[in-house]
Amino acid sequence: KMKALTKNLLTAACLVTAAFSLNACISNNGNDIDSTVVPLTPAEKTTQIHAMAGTYTGKARLYTSPNGRLIKSDSAVVHFTVGTDSIITVKDFPVRLFALNAANGTVKTALEKLTAEFTSDIRLYSQSNYIKNLYGGNAYFFILWPQKLGTGKPWMLSYPYTHNSAAQTLTATFVPGGASVGLNYNSLNLYYKPKKALQFFLIPKEIKLSDGTMFDNSQGRAFILVEGKK
């Protein structure tokens, strides 16, 4: 169905399309690909972030790739908001998704019901005309920046929890921008206007538990897909 071109770009578009149940995965029918990128104007960014602003309900899904095979390992309902100040806030992120290889079942149980809130900057950008046309001009694209506004500090999440009556801490760092999920294809963070739907990818880099357990995802073989609708 799809030509070798831009198999990466088309795969990315179809990955997002599958999440939103759209029908935008189409062949270019042999036509040249318009790779022109027209930067967004300040006015366009303002229009887009105001359209995206609101409260969303959806799911966070953890994908891993044991033996090179992509599988959905866990999922949970989440609620998040997008503000006109370009800040996205996940109100109840399920921390259990970060316990990718907890040392034992009791640690996983301790994390099972723990939720936390975190925020990230949204930075809007313009995709190529080809990608924009796949969505009929109805999609807004963005990256998540791993620094909080005005701080210059790395985006690192730190979650306290209790295990065996003792205070514990889980810390997680992420790959900048959420731009690549590995496995030989790219991801697209976007808002799709017709369905008022938004999705973004979180790619864990390193996750540590107080008991010394560490999950190293430097190869990008695991990622979290968060999606929701207003």
Side-chain angles (χ1 to χ4, degrees):
K1 179 182 177 180
M2 299 179 183
K3 299 203 169 193
L5 130 80
T6 48
K7 284 185 180 176
N8 285 344
L9 290 177
L10 285 170
T11 303
C14 290
L15 175 66
V16 176
T17 295
F20 287 146
S21 298
L22 308 178
N23 293 307
C25 292
I26 57 176
S27 168
N28 66 322
N29 294 320
N31 297 326
D32 290 336
I33 300 303
D34 185 356
S35 59
T36 304
V37 176
V38 180
L40 296 175
T41 66
E44 288 173 326
K45 289 182 179 180
T46 297
T47 297
Q48 290 188 9
I49 197 63
H50 276 80
M52 294 166 62
T55 300
Y56 297 78
T57 298
K59 281 196 171 183
R61 295 180 173 89
L62 168 67
Y63 291 86
T64 58
S65 57
N67 302 317
R69 184 170 61 90
L70 183 65
I71 63 171
K72 183 176 73 174
S73 298
D74 202 355
S75 66
V77 173
V78 293
H79 302 83
F80 57 95
T81 60
V82 174
T84 55
D85 57 357
S86 297
I87 299 294
I88 188 166
T89 302
V90 179
K91 298 290 187 180
D92 50 2
F93 199 93
V95 176
R96 74 167 187 261
L97 296 187
F98 293 116
L100 303 182
N101 64 339
N104 56 62
T106 58
V107 173
K108 184 101 173 180
T109 299
L111 296 172
E112 184 69 24
K113 296 182 179 180
L114 181 64
T115 61
E117 176 179 304
F118 70 87
T119 61
S120 176
D121 307 343
I122 287 178
R123 300 199 179 182
L124 293 159
Y125 71 97
S126 181
Q127 270 284 356
S128 68
N129 287 342
Y130 173 69
I131 293 295
K132 288 192 292 187
N133 288 338
L134 283 177
Y135 297 97
N138 289 315
Y140 301 149
F141 306 93
F142 61 92
I143 62 172
L144 299 179
W145 201 249
Q147 295 181 354
K148 293 186 177 180
L149 285 174
T151 67
K153 295 180 180 179
W155 186 23
M156 183 174 77
L157 310 181
S158 181
Y159 301 123
Y161 67 97
T162 300
H163 177 54
N164 289 339
S165 300
Q168 307 287 339
T169 302
L170 177 149
T171 59
T173 56
F174 295 85
V175 176
S180 174
V181 296
L183 300 172
N184 299 318
Y185 59 78
N186 294 323
S187 63
L188 293 174
N189 299 331
L190 64 78
Y191 172 75
Y192 186 68
K193 288 191 297 180
K195 293 198 172 185
K196 296 183 178 180
L198 184 146
Q199 80 166 31
F200 58 92
F201 291 82
L202 294 173
I203 301 102
K205 181 178 180 182
E206 183 179 89
I207 298 168
K208 293 181 180 179
L209 301 177
S210 295
D211 65 1
T213 302
M214 186 181 82
F215 173 79
D216 180 4
N217 192 42
S218 58
Q219 300 301 312
R221 296 294 183 180
F223 62 90
I224 297 166
L225 168 61
V226 182
E227 56 184 339
K229 293 183 179 181
K230 291 184 186 180

